Amino acid sequence: MGCKCGGKARGGTVWVLSYEDGRAGGEFASKTDAEIADVRKGGGGILRQVQR
């Protein structure tokens, strides 16, 4: 959750990794982090950029 000091959340954009086959994905601060996580989980994940 974190502090929203000054009315803005830090890191307004996150990368969401998800899978259609039910595997757990997650949220990552960078596209590179999400890609690495996808490879470690066997690949085939869907990456999308989301504004928070």
Side-chain angles (χ1 to χ4, degrees), residues 3-9:
C3 173
K4 294 186 178 179
C5 304
K8 285 189 173 183

Side-chain angles (χ1 to χ4, degrees), residues 1 6 39:
M1 298 296 185
V39 169

Side-chain angles (χ1 to χ4, degrees), residues 7-45:
K8 285 189 173 183
R10 275 186 75 204
T13 302
V14 295
W15 288 87
V16 177
L17 171 63
S18 59
Y19 296 95
E20 293 182 352
D21 61 7
R23 287 182 284 166
E27 292 186 358
F28 301 90
S30 72
K31 184 177 182 182
T32 302
D33 290 343
E35 289 171 338
I36 291 168
D38 184 36
V39 169
R40 288 181 178 164
K41 293 180 182 197

